[in-house]
Amino acid sequence: MRILLTNDDGIHAPGLAALERIARTLTDDVWIVAPETDQSGLAHSLTLNDPLRLRKVSDQRFALRGTPTDCVIMGIQEVMEGKPDLVLSGVNSGANMADDVTYSGTVAGAMEGALQGVRSIALSQAYIFDGERKVPWDVAETHAPALLDKLIGVELPAFSFLNVNFPNCRPEEVKGIEVTNQGKLTFGLLAEQRRDGRGFPYYWLKFDGRKSDLKTGTDVNALAEGRISVTPLMLDLTDYAAQNALKTALSLE
């Protein structure tokens, strides 16, 4: 099995190192194409106005000045010279659940893999910030190999992919695995005004005061209760429930 790895935290991120160790429990044929720098929050974006600079770091490991989406495209078209059997994106520093999947570069890496017709899985590790970032990578490293071994055998519809989140706890405290749906968080982005050295204003986006109703069956609730969340996502964004209402309003029926 040939596996392509990418992420949005960058080529030197500890989560990517953890993902490589996880992938090597499945195969020795592991390729890495990851962003040269942190690309968090860039979602499924392409680099169209600047050249893509590809740098070979070591054997089967490359850094790209581009987004996670660019990395998957370059990995398949230039680096591997053909489709891999599996695309793994992550392991992200922080959970990617609920509405955040629309912002996530980690999820976008798996999304692009699915668009290319490759089985793809995004992996993220939850943590709590208490003055400094302490990410329990050993949770993902302990549980991901056996989980991936099962997930790669699941038949998925075309253009669907999986979003996996690991809870913030010790590996032995994980309370199982739950197949979930995408939850809902309150909007929590705040444009904070600051001043530069000359007194001119600038703004910094920050997350602030996000809440969830912890609805049973959601990815948010699963993580809150210490379970690994596995959410199937799809690229078809059509709101089928609204189609009939639109047809009626437009006198098309």
Short mmCIF file of all heavy atoms in Angstrom, two decimals, residues 18-56:
data_model
loop_
_atom_site.label_atom_id
_atom_site.label_comp_id
_atom_site.label_asym_id
_atom_site.label_seq_id
_atom_site.Cartn_x
_atom_site.Cartn_y
_atom_site.Cartn_z
N ALA A 18 4.14 12.26 14.10
CA ALA A 18 3.29 11.22 14.69
C ALA A 18 2.53 10.47 13.59
O ALA A 18 2.41 9.23 13.64
CB ALA A 18 2.30 11.85 15.67
N LEU A 19 2.03 11.20 12.59
CA LEU A 19 1.29 10.56 11.50
C LEU A 19 2.19 9.62 10.71
O LEU A 19 1.75 8.55 10.29
CB LEU A 19 0.70 11.63 10.58
CG LEU A 19 -0.19 11.10 9.46
CD1 LEU A 19 -1.41 10.38 10.02
CD2 LEU A 19 -0.63 12.24 8.54
N GLU A 20 3.44 10.01 10.51
CA GLU A 20 4.36 9.12 9.79
C GLU A 20 4.57 7.82 10.57
O GLU A 20 4.58 6.72 9.98
CB GLU A 20 5.69 9.80 9.54
CG GLU A 20 6.65 8.92 8.75
CD GLU A 20 7.97 9.61 8.42
OE1 GLU A 20 8.19 10.77 8.85
OE2 GLU A 20 8.79 8.96 7.73
N ARG A 21 4.72 7.92 11.88
CA ARG A 21 4.88 6.70 12.67
C ARG A 21 3.63 5.84 12.59
O ARG A 21 3.71 4.60 12.53
CB ARG A 21 5.21 7.07 14.12
CG ARG A 21 6.59 7.68 14.31
CD ARG A 21 6.97 7.82 15.77
NE ARG A 21 6.20 8.84 16.47
CZ ARG A 21 6.55 10.11 16.56
NH1 ARG A 21 7.66 10.54 15.99
NH2 ARG A 21 5.80 10.98 17.25
N ILE A 22 2.47 6.48 12.59
CA ILE A 22 1.21 5.74 12.45
C ILE A 22 1.14 5.05 11.10
O ILE A 22 0.81 3.87 11.00
CB ILE A 22 0.01 6.70 12.63
CG1 ILE A 22 -0.07 7.18 14.07
CG2 ILE A 22 -1.29 6.02 12.22
CD1 ILE A 22 -1.01 8.37 14.27
N ALA A 23 1.47 5.78 10.03
CA ALA A 23 1.39 5.24 8.68
C ALA A 23 2.33 4.06 8.49
O ALA A 23 2.01 3.10 7.78
CB ALA A 23 1.69 6.33 7.66
N ARG A 24 3.48 4.12 9.14
CA ARG A 24 4.47 3.05 8.96
C ARG A 24 4.08 1.77 9.69
O ARG A 24 4.74 0.74 9.51
CB ARG A 24 5.85 3.54 9.38
CG ARG A 24 6.40 4.60 8.43
CD ARG A 24 7.88 4.87 8.60
NE ARG A 24 8.33 5.91 7.67
CZ ARG A 24 8.61 5.69 6.38
NH1 ARG A 24 8.52 4.46 5.89
NH2 ARG A 24 9.01 6.68 5.60
N THR A 25 3.03 1.81 10.49
CA THR A 25 2.50 0.56 11.03
C THR A 25 1.67 -0.18 9.97
O THR A 25 1.36 -1.36 10.14
CB THR A 25 1.61 0.81 12.27
OG1 THR A 25 0.43 1.52 11.88
CG2 THR A 25 2.37 1.60 13.32
N LEU A 26 1.31 0.54 8.89
CA LEU A 26 0.50 -0.04 7.82
C LEU A 26 1.33 -0.44 6.61
O LEU A 26 1.00 -1.39 5.91
CB LEU A 26 -0.59 0.95 7.38
CG LEU A 26 -1.54 1.45 8.47
CD1 LEU A 26 -2.44 2.55 7.91
CD2 LEU A 26 -2.38 0.30 9.02
N THR A 27 2.41 0.31 6.33
CA THR A 27 3.23 0.07 5.16
C THR A 27 4.55 0.80 5.30
O THR A 27 4.68 1.75 6.07
CB THR A 27 2.52 0.55 3.88
OG1 THR A 27 3.35 0.30 2.74
CG2 THR A 27 2.23 2.04 3.94
N ASP A 28 5.55 0.36 4.52
CA ASP A 28 6.83 1.06 4.46
C ASP A 28 6.87 2.07 3.33
O ASP A 28 7.80 2.88 3.24
CB ASP A 28 7.98 0.06 4.27
CG ASP A 28 8.21 -0.80 5.50
OD1 ASP A 28 8.00 -0.28 6.62
OD2 ASP A 28 8.61 -1.97 5.35
N ASP A 29 5.86 2.04 2.46
CA ASP A 29 5.84 2.91 1.29
C ASP A 29 5.07 4.19 1.62
O ASP A 29 3.91 4.37 1.24
CB ASP A 29 5.21 2.19 0.10
CG ASP A 29 5.53 2.87 -1.23
OD1 ASP A 29 6.17 3.93 -1.21
OD2 ASP A 29 5.12 2.33 -2.27
N VAL A 30 5.73 5.08 2.36
CA VAL A 30 5.11 6.31 2.83
C VAL A 30 5.78 7.51 2.17
O VAL A 30 7.00 7.64 2.18
CB VAL A 30 5.23 6.43 4.36
CG1 VAL A 30 4.66 7.76 4.85
CG2 VAL A 30 4.52 5.27 5.05
N TRP A 31 4.95 8.38 1.59
CA TRP A 31 5.42 9.60 0.96
C TRP A 31 4.85 10.80 1.70
O TRP A 31 3.70 10.76 2.15
CB TRP A 31 4.98 9.64 -0.50
CG TRP A 31 5.56 8.55 -1.35
CD1 TRP A 31 5.21 7.24 -1.35
CD2 TRP A 31 6.61 8.70 -2.32
NE1 TRP A 31 5.97 6.53 -2.25
CE2 TRP A 31 6.83 7.41 -2.87
CE3 TRP A 31 7.36 9.78 -2.78
CZ2 TRP A 31 7.79 7.18 -3.85
CZ3 TRP A 31 8.31 9.55 -3.76
CH2 TRP A 31 8.52 8.26 -4.28
N ILE A 32 5.64 11.85 1.80
CA ILE A 32 5.20 13.06 2.51
C ILE A 32 5.37 14.28 1.62
O ILE A 32 6.46 14.52 1.08
CB ILE A 32 6.00 13.26 3.81
CG1 ILE A 32 5.79 12.09 4.76
CG2 ILE A 32 5.62 14.57 4.48
CD1 ILE A 32 6.70 12.11 5.99
N VAL A 33 4.28 15.02 1.45
CA VAL A 33 4.34 16.34 0.83
C VAL A 33 3.54 17.27 1.73
O VAL A 33 2.31 17.17 1.79
CB VAL A 33 3.76 16.36 -0.60
CG1 VAL A 33 3.92 17.77 -1.20
CG2 VAL A 33 4.44 15.32 -1.49
N ALA A 34 4.23 18.13 2.45
CA ALA A 34 3.59 18.99 3.44
C ALA A 34 4.00 20.44 3.22
O ALA A 34 5.04 20.71 2.62
CB ALA A 34 3.98 18.54 4.85
N PRO A 35 3.19 21.37 3.70
CA PRO A 35 3.52 22.79 3.52
C PRO A 35 4.83 23.18 4.18
O PRO A 35 5.18 22.67 5.25
CB PRO A 35 2.34 23.51 4.18
CG PRO A 35 1.22 22.52 4.17
CD PRO A 35 1.88 21.20 4.36
N GLU A 36 5.56 24.09 3.54
CA GLU A 36 6.81 24.59 4.09
C GLU A 36 6.57 25.32 5.42
O GLU A 36 7.40 25.26 6.33
CB GLU A 36 7.46 25.54 3.08
CG GLU A 36 8.86 25.98 3.43
CD GLU A 36 9.92 24.95 3.09
OE1 GLU A 36 10.11 24.65 1.90
OE2 GLU A 36 10.55 24.45 4.05
N THR A 37 5.42 26.00 5.53
CA THR A 37 5.08 26.76 6.73
C THR A 37 3.65 26.45 7.15
O THR A 37 2.89 25.82 6.41
CB THR A 37 5.21 28.27 6.49
OG1 THR A 37 4.34 28.66 5.41
CG2 THR A 37 6.64 28.64 6.12
N ASP A 38 3.27 26.91 8.33
CA ASP A 38 1.93 26.68 8.87
C ASP A 38 0.86 27.25 7.93
O ASP A 38 0.90 28.43 7.57
CB ASP A 38 1.83 27.36 10.24
CG ASP A 38 0.58 26.95 11.01
OD1 ASP A 38 -0.46 26.70 10.38
OD2 ASP A 38 0.66 26.90 12.26
N GLN A 39 -0.09 26.41 7.56
CA GLN A 39 -1.17 26.80 6.66
C GLN A 39 -2.53 26.59 7.31
O GLN A 39 -3.54 26.38 6.62
CB GLN A 39 -1.09 25.99 5.36
CG GLN A 39 0.21 26.15 4.59
CD GLN A 39 0.36 27.53 3.99
OE1 GLN A 39 -0.44 27.94 3.16
NE2 GLN A 39 1.40 28.25 4.40
N SER A 40 -2.59 26.67 8.62
CA SER A 40 -3.83 26.44 9.35
C SER A 40 -4.91 27.45 8.93
O SER A 40 -4.63 28.64 8.74
CB SER A 40 -3.60 26.55 10.85
OG SER A 40 -2.68 25.57 11.29
N GLY A 41 -6.14 26.97 8.81
CA GLY A 41 -7.27 27.84 8.54
C GLY A 41 -7.43 28.24 7.09
O GLY A 41 -8.31 29.04 6.77
N LEU A 42 -6.63 27.68 6.18
CA LEU A 42 -6.73 28.06 4.77
C LEU A 42 -7.74 27.23 4.00
O LEU A 42 -7.96 27.48 2.81
CB LEU A 42 -5.35 27.98 4.10
CG LEU A 42 -4.34 29.02 4.58
CD1 LEU A 42 -3.08 28.94 3.74
CD2 LEU A 42 -4.91 30.42 4.53
N ALA A 43 -8.33 26.24 4.67
CA ALA A 43 -9.40 25.44 4.06
C ALA A 43 -8.95 24.84 2.73
O ALA A 43 -7.79 24.55 2.54
CB ALA A 43 -10.67 26.27 3.93
N HIS A 44 -9.90 24.69 1.81
CA HIS A 44 -9.61 24.02 0.54
C HIS A 44 -9.19 25.04 -0.51
O HIS A 44 -9.82 25.21 -1.55
CB HIS A 44 -10.87 23.25 0.08
CG HIS A 44 -10.61 22.27 -1.01
ND1 HIS A 44 -11.52 22.01 -2.00
CD2 HIS A 44 -9.54 21.49 -1.27
CE1 HIS A 44 -11.04 21.10 -2.83
NE2 HIS A 44 -9.83 20.76 -2.40
N SER A 45 -8.08 25.72 -0.21
CA SER A 45 -7.62 26.80 -1.08
C SER A 45 -6.45 26.36 -1.94
O SER A 45 -5.67 25.47 -1.58
CB SER A 45 -7.22 28.03 -0.25
OG SER A 45 -6.17 27.70 0.64
N LEU A 46 -6.33 27.03 -3.10
CA LEU A 46 -5.25 26.78 -4.04
C LEU A 46 -4.33 27.98 -4.11
O LEU A 46 -4.75 29.12 -3.88
CB LEU A 46 -5.81 26.54 -5.44
CG LEU A 46 -6.69 25.30 -5.67
CD1 LEU A 46 -7.42 25.42 -6.99
CD2 LEU A 46 -5.84 24.04 -5.64
N THR A 47 -3.07 27.76 -4.44
CA THR A 47 -2.13 28.84 -4.69
C THR A 47 -2.11 29.11 -6.19
O THR A 47 -1.59 28.30 -6.96
CB THR A 47 -0.72 28.48 -4.19
OG1 THR A 47 -0.78 28.23 -2.79
CG2 THR A 47 0.26 29.60 -4.47
N LEU A 48 -2.70 30.23 -6.60
CA LEU A 48 -2.83 30.55 -8.02
C LEU A 48 -2.01 31.76 -8.45
O LEU A 48 -1.74 31.93 -9.64
CB LEU A 48 -4.30 30.79 -8.37
CG LEU A 48 -5.26 29.61 -8.14
CD1 LEU A 48 -6.69 30.02 -8.46
CD2 LEU A 48 -4.85 28.40 -8.98
N ASN A 49 -1.62 32.61 -7.50
CA ASN A 49 -0.93 33.84 -7.85
C ASN A 49 0.57 33.81 -7.57
O ASN A 49 1.27 34.79 -7.81
CB ASN A 49 -1.55 35.03 -7.10
CG ASN A 49 -2.99 35.27 -7.53
OD1 ASN A 49 -3.30 35.25 -8.72
ND2 ASN A 49 -3.88 35.47 -6.56
N ASP A 50 1.04 32.68 -7.04
CA ASP A 50 2.47 32.52 -6.75
C ASP A 50 2.92 31.15 -7.23
O ASP A 50 2.11 30.21 -7.32
CB ASP A 50 2.73 32.64 -5.24
CG ASP A 50 2.40 34.03 -4.72
OD1 ASP A 50 3.10 34.98 -5.09
OD2 ASP A 50 1.42 34.15 -3.94
N PRO A 51 4.21 31.00 -7.54
CA PRO A 51 4.71 29.69 -7.97
C PRO A 51 4.73 28.71 -6.79
O PRO A 51 4.84 29.11 -5.63
CB PRO A 51 6.12 29.99 -8.46
CG PRO A 51 6.53 31.21 -7.71
CD PRO A 51 5.27 32.02 -7.56
N LEU A 52 4.63 27.44 -7.10
CA LEU A 52 4.76 26.39 -6.10
C LEU A 52 6.21 25.91 -6.08
O LEU A 52 6.70 25.36 -7.07
CB LEU A 52 3.82 25.22 -6.41
CG LEU A 52 2.33 25.52 -6.37
CD1 LEU A 52 1.53 24.30 -6.82
CD2 LEU A 52 1.90 25.95 -4.97
N ARG A 53 6.90 26.15 -4.98
CA ARG A 53 8.30 25.75 -4.85
C ARG A 53 8.36 24.45 -4.06
O ARG A 53 7.95 24.39 -2.90
CB ARG A 53 9.09 26.83 -4.11
CG ARG A 53 9.01 28.22 -4.74
CD ARG A 53 9.79 28.31 -6.03
NE ARG A 53 9.80 29.70 -6.52
CZ ARG A 53 10.36 30.07 -7.66
NH1 ARG A 53 10.98 29.17 -8.42
NH2 ARG A 53 10.32 31.34 -8.02
N LEU A 54 8.88 23.41 -4.68
CA LEU A 54 8.97 22.09 -4.06
C LEU A 54 10.41 21.82 -3.64
O LEU A 54 11.34 21.95 -4.44
CB LEU A 54 8.50 21.03 -5.06
CG LEU A 54 8.38 19.59 -4.53
CD1 LEU A 54 7.24 19.49 -3.53
CD2 LEU A 54 8.15 18.63 -5.69
N ARG A 55 10.58 21.46 -2.37
CA ARG A 55 11.92 21.20 -1.83
C ARG A 55 12.00 19.78 -1.28
O ARG A 55 11.15 19.38 -0.47
CB ARG A 55 12.23 22.20 -0.71
CG ARG A 55 13.57 21.99 -0.03
CD ARG A 55 13.87 23.11 0.94
NE ARG A 55 12.95 23.15 2.07
CZ ARG A 55 13.14 22.49 3.23
NH1 ARG A 55 14.22 21.71 3.38
NH2 ARG A 55 12.27 22.59 4.21
N LYS A 56 13.00 19.03 -1.75
CA LYS A 56 13.19 17.68 -1.23
C LYS A 56 13.91 17.76 0.11
O LYS A 56 15.04 18.25 0.20
CB LYS A 56 13.97 16.82 -2.22
CG LYS A 56 14.11 15.37 -1.76
CD LYS A 56 14.75 14.50 -2.82
CE LYS A 56 14.81 13.05 -2.36
NZ LYS A 56 15.41 12.16 -3.39
#
